[in-house]
Amino acid sequence: MLGSASSPRLHLLGRLVNKHKPWIETSYHGVIAENSDTVLLDPPLVALDKDAPVPFAGEICAFKIHGQEAPFEAVVLNRTSGEGVLQAKSPIDCELQKEYTFVIQAYDCGAPPSGADWKKSHKAVVHIQVDDVNEFAPAFREPAYHATVTEGRIYDSILQVEAWDQDCSPQYSQICNYDIITPDTPFAIDRNGNIRNTERLSFDKQQRYKILVTAFDCGQKRATESAVVRIDVKPVCKPGWEGWNKRVDYEPGTGSKQLFPKMHLETCDSPLSAVRATVELQTSHIGKGCDRETYSEKSLQKLCGAESGSTDLLPAPSASTNWTASLVTDSGRDSDLIFRFDGRQAANVPDWVVPQNLTDQFTIATWMKHGPSLGPRAEKETLLCNSDKTEMNRHHYSLYVHHCRLVFLLRRDFTQVDTFRPAEFHWRLEQICDQEWHYYVINVEFPLVTLYVDGVTYEPYLVTDDWPIHPSKIDVQLTVGACWQGGEVTTPRFTQYFRGSLSGLTIRPGKIETQKVISCLQACKEGLDINSLESLGRGIKFHFNPAQSILVMEGDDLDSINVALTKVSYINSRQFPTPGIRRLRISTSVQCFGEDTCISVPDIEAVVMVLPPSEPRITIAGAELLTQPAADLRGPAGLALFQDLRIISTVTKSDAAAHSPGHRPGVMEILHNLDYCDVLVIGEELDPERESLYIPRTALLGKHLDATNSTSGISIYGVDSMSHYEQAIRQVRYHNWHPAGLQERKFCVTCSELNGRYTSNEFNLEVSVLHSSGVSHMEHVNHMAVQSSYMRAVHHPVVVHSLNSVHSSGTPPVATVVIVMCIAALVAIVVLGVYRIHTAHQDSSKSEESDGKGADVDWEESAVTITVNPMESIKESPADEEAIEEEEEEEEDEEEEEDDGLEDEITSMESEDSDEEDAGDRRGAQEGKSKGRLEWDTTLP
């Protein structure tokens, strides 16, 4: 009962002791630095209790935080004074949260020591702000910036760069300044990042600028990475073509190549109604104006199917064509033979060259390059003139230039009717004085005369009549480069000199040239082309000139014109084109709506660089040594020299297929034409009295080949394949109907492509003549006499068969040879004595002497060292040979009949088998010949 009565008393006592609640401020404002744990409160955290100084009741035991999960805690520093502190439980990050708000209460320690009956204060609001630390540097939103400006302008702002900062406070998160760190640039930047130019920019001076920019925050922390700013300067908008290259490389053999694949026309937003573009390929510096075939004039005429019978009045100087030797020549490109006349050179054409019988139909053709005439009263400049050689000064026909007019004079001879007839035909053309190469052809079908210039027909604008020329016995003179004045002057001289260049001047009497042939002769192998015509728009019109060196395009839609120009290409169909540059020019005219012209488009100039072609290596191969019996040279067909000759042409694969995938370096055989091959004699020229080199006409049938023959050799010419040249050369034959004394003959073969631009090696052939060892063809070849070098196999081994070869068993032993030589010497002495005793019987041995004559020649001309056996003849000395030749001249008539009979006898003997009777007859014949020769020999002792 005592215990239960005391407990309520204690309770009551506690309430009486702890009568008051703690007291704190109603609100607090605190600040905490980022990454710190102590909060600075205003006012400080202090709790008061009116129960003080009563223990427990007047003391503060705790501060508790209520509300959101704030990362803070309150700690009591002094229970008696009630002081406390607010601190962070973990690091505070301003970038995660800048402010915190929560509720705090203070608790006293209660009445009993156990802390029961604590009293708590009212709730106070605490607001804490986190102070930022400048821990982040500014960063640009873009790593690089780009802008384009027009030259000559000052911009307030070209572009704006922007940086930002991750810090949370305005002080550290704001960008306060930008700066350009690239020195010496004509640009500036403000605090907002706007870049401007400080001076006028020039496209010609510099087309692109690259600058570096940095940024600073308000705490003056600098950006770690700078921003790259590129500023392009474009010229003031000028109408013109853009996107084209000044040089286009062309590799031979690749077909056509686009010239302007990315080109387009800049019009500066001008409204256009029509565009006209002219593309011109300029090739005046190449040969005769463009890349043409450079074969000889005759070869070109044959290729183009021209009529035969033309006369070349300006051939290359040579021994037979020496009238052009004094003229100035210029080979130019690809061996084009060009004659340059400066008003002081001219040539008289020999009478045997002058075309005769110029009928009512004939053709005159030439290449001409001519500039403006000198002076206001320029004289006539004569290309070709046929005038009186002496006495008078009549011009029968001539072709001349006068004041940029081409005039052809043709005065007919007097006939039955003496009336005026058309005599002068005039043409006025720009081509005559433009200093460019043009091909002129005059077709005469009297009285109609037509001029072709580069394949285009021109009728004369003026035709004047004149009286015909009365017949006379005065010779005429044909001249080139001037006109011959043989009469009416004290001293005959040239007059009316030509100033310009000529090439390929020809006359063809009796026939006129066709339009097809004329076009072929002057056709270019290079020109402009259009890839994919079907891709051109319907509104595009285009036109080529005949040579395809000028292309004109028209259209009313700019996009279609741009597409059409990208299709323009260059093409060169020559297998081996002339390397070098070809100039290009594009001129443009533009029309706008309601105006004739609105903008001016400047011309553009570019070049096509034709790369050097892979040069072929022409190789001639075959047997270089032929060993043939002399009889083969005497035969009616002669000796075929080059039966196994082979012509090939190769290029290095690394050059020919440099751009072809899968090809490895090496040698590759190619096929192309040749234009001439020469088979020349090395050493002394041919002696027409006893030898000849010829090619059967049948060897040229079905081919574009001709041949000329002289004592120096054979020239086969014409544009044709290597195989046809092989076939023709293999049929070249050498004939020598008196081969005695001939030991060897040497020949050389060379071939050419493109008029000597590419030449072959010099293929040499040596023909070694093998003479029989006996006095006639019936005798066998002595095996000791024929050296092994003559019997070696080349490509076509020569096998020598004798009539008694079936009985021959090889070379006799040395001892046998010595014995045979001794016997031969003895027999010679005996026979010599008999000869001197029986000189009176000279007449009876004439027929045998005739046989001996033939044997002498064969024996004498043999180059082989012969060992004489008793059955063979003795070689005469030079004195013996002279005696024999004198006797032969005296008894020539008598020997003819006997030779015929003996020849028949020998022929029949050669056809028989080598039985004993025939062998005996042959031995008798040989002895008879030996006797005859000894009777003639008066020089032996």
Side-chain angles (χ1 to χ4, degrees), residues 371-385:
S373 302
L374 301 177
R377 301 182 59 185
E379 292 185 354
K380 298 177 180 179
E381 300 179 45
T382 303
L383 287 74
L384 178 68
C385 181

Side-chain angles (χ1 to χ4, degrees), residues 141-193:
R141 296 193 181 276
E142 300 290 339
Y145 295 85
H146 178 263
T148 301
V149 298
T150 302
E151 64 175 345
R153 290 182 55 186
I154 296 293
Y155 289 82
D156 293 333
S157 176
I158 297 175
L159 78 161
Q160 183 181 23
V161 298
E162 184 181 2
W164 67 291
D165 197 309
Q166 299 183 45
D167 289 316
C168 64
S169 65
Q171 180 183 3
Y172 299 136
S173 64
Q174 291 184 1
I175 306 300
C176 285
N177 192 24
Y178 292 92
D179 191 17
I180 295 176
I181 61 177
T182 303
D184 301 327
T185 59
F187 300 98
I189 189 169
D190 62 17
R191 62 183 303 169
N192 294 321

Side-chain angles (χ1 to χ4, degrees), residues 857-876:
V857 174
D858 288 348
W859 183 267
E860 174 189 344
E861 295 180 351
S862 175
V864 184
T865 303
I866 304 297
T867 302
V868 182
N869 61 29
M871 300 304 296
E872 294 177 333
S873 304
I874 302 175
K875 181 179 171 120
E876 297 89 353

